[in-house]
Amino acid sequence: MEDQVEVVARAFVEHYYNLFDSNRASLASLYQPSSILSFEGQTIIEADPIQQKLSELPFGQCKHFISTVDSQPSVVAGSIIVFVTGSLKLVDEEHPLKFSQMFQLIPTLDGTFFVQNDIFRLNYA
Amino acid sequence: MEDQVEVVARAFVEHYYNLFDSNRASLASLYQPSSILSFEGQTIIEADPIQQKLSELPFGQCKHFISTVDSQPSVVAGSIIVFVTGSLKLVDEEHPLKFSQMFQLIPTLDGTFFVQNDIFRLNYA
């Protein structure tokens, strides 16, 4: 079971940051009306406003580099907590920015997962 | 409700790191048999082994400095996700270490909370 949690977490992380870096608008499909995003201290609720926030971030193309992925089963059956550290390279910036981010993934009826909780912080040096 | 989540999260963070820095053995009271700790990639389950792990960390006295605290309601009624970034000063080290950590807090019958999920990572520069 623990292995399955880790497999889902790693697949999610790869999928999420690939979408973020290549087609940010498609991230909307990972959120639902109940979803909550905290982005650098700002709280946004529901998939559509979250999608809008992610699209309006003050940088265009970027690339995430993942350093660590931790995962644990959460409380509701099948739900998973994912915790990521890494760095974020903006296209116009020489130095990557360190970040950490957590997600709570909830299983859907069709066998996939959606993001219920998403908290993102840059880790300033 | 959102405010109540933030109040609990901030009180928990103050309590947790005060205990960690002054009386680490007493942290055991915050965990239960179902609790899971991921500490720098190592997974430990149940309050007693978690307490043992925290007591055996390869540093004695330390002091946490908190930079940011984010909180969100989680899925089970009254449960809270807390996300912390900060730095950790070891007594024998000149430079503090950056860290990030998340907790899922679950309400208990007596009106307090226990830590169900705890994930800790140092953020190496």
Side-chain angles (χ1 to χ4, degrees):
Chain A
M1 189 59 195
E2 184 107 358
D3 285 345
Q4 188 56 28
V5 167
E6 191 177 329
V7 166
V8 170
R10 291 192 171 274
F12 169 79
V13 165
E14 186 176 342
H15 183 58
Y16 180 88
Y17 294 109
N18 278 344
L19 287 185
F20 200 111
D21 295 349
S22 65
N23 182 11
R24 215 183 295 168
S26 63
L27 288 173
S29 64
L30 299 177
Y31 297 89
Q32 290 203 356
S34 64
S35 300
I36 311 173
L37 167 66
S38 297
F39 190 90
E40 285 288 284
Q42 185 187 356
T43 302
I44 301 113
I45 296 173
E46 290 192 34
D48 287 347
I50 288 173
Q51 166 55 29
Q52 190 171 347
K53 171 67 183 177
L54 295 177
S55 298
E56 287 172 352
L57 291 177
F59 50 86
Q61 225 184 328
C62 63
K63 181 151 178 56
H64 291 80
F65 298 90
I66 305 308
S67 301
T68 65
V69 178
D70 292 302
S71 54
Q72 294 182 356
S74 190
V75 177
V76 171
S79 61
I80 296 176
I81 288 173
V82 185
F83 188 92
V84 180
T85 68
S87 58
L88 175 62
K89 175 83 172 63
L90 308 186
V91 75
D92 298 326
E93 294 279 344
E94 186 181 357
H95 298 292
L97 305 166
K98 312 271 304 170
F99 75 91
S100 50
Q101 188 163 16
M102 70 80 53
F103 305 91
Q104 181 166 217
L105 308 182
I106 307 290
T108 60
L109 291 176
D110 61 0
T112 65
F113 290 83
F114 73 93
V115 177
Q116 172 57 31
N117 301 92
D118 177 352
I119 303 179
F120 175 92
R121 279 284 180 181
L122 291 172
N123 303 132
Y124 293 103
Chain B
M1 189 59 196
E2 184 107 359
D3 284 344
Q4 187 55 29
V5 167
E6 192 177 328
V7 166
V8 170
R10 290 192 171 274
F12 169 79
V13 165
E14 187 177 340
H15 183 57
Y16 180 89
Y17 294 108
N18 278 343
L19 286 185
F20 199 111
D21 295 349
S22 64
N23 182 11
R24 216 183 294 168
S26 64
L27 288 173
S29 65
L30 299 177
Y31 297 89
Q32 290 204 356
S34 64
S35 301
I36 310 173
L37 166 67
S38 296
F39 189 90
E40 285 288 283
Q42 186 188 355
T43 302
I44 301 112
I45 296 173
E46 290 191 33
D48 287 348
I50 288 172
Q51 166 54 29
Q52 190 172 345
K53 171 68 182 176
L54 296 176
S55 297
E56 288 172 351
L57 291 177
F59 49 86
Q61 223 182 330
C62 63
K63 182 152 177 54
H64 290 80
F65 298 90
I66 305 308
S67 301
T68 64
V69 178
D70 293 302
S71 54
Q72 294 182 358
S74 189
V75 177
V76 171
S79 61
I80 297 175
I81 287 173
V82 185
F83 188 91
V84 181
T85 69
S87 58
L88 174 62
K89 176 83 173 62
L90 308 185
V91 75
D92 298 326
E93 295 278 344
E94 186 180 356
H95 299 291
L97 305 166
K98 312 271 305 173
F99 75 92
S100 50
Q101 188 164 16
M102 70 81 52
F103 305 91
Q104 181 165 219
L105 308 181
I106 308 290
T108 61
L109 291 176
D110 61 359
T112 65
F113 291 84
F114 73 94
V115 176
Q116 172 57 31
N117 302 91
D118 177 353
I119 303 180
F120 175 93
R121 280 283 180 180
L122 292 172
N123 303 131
Y124 293 103

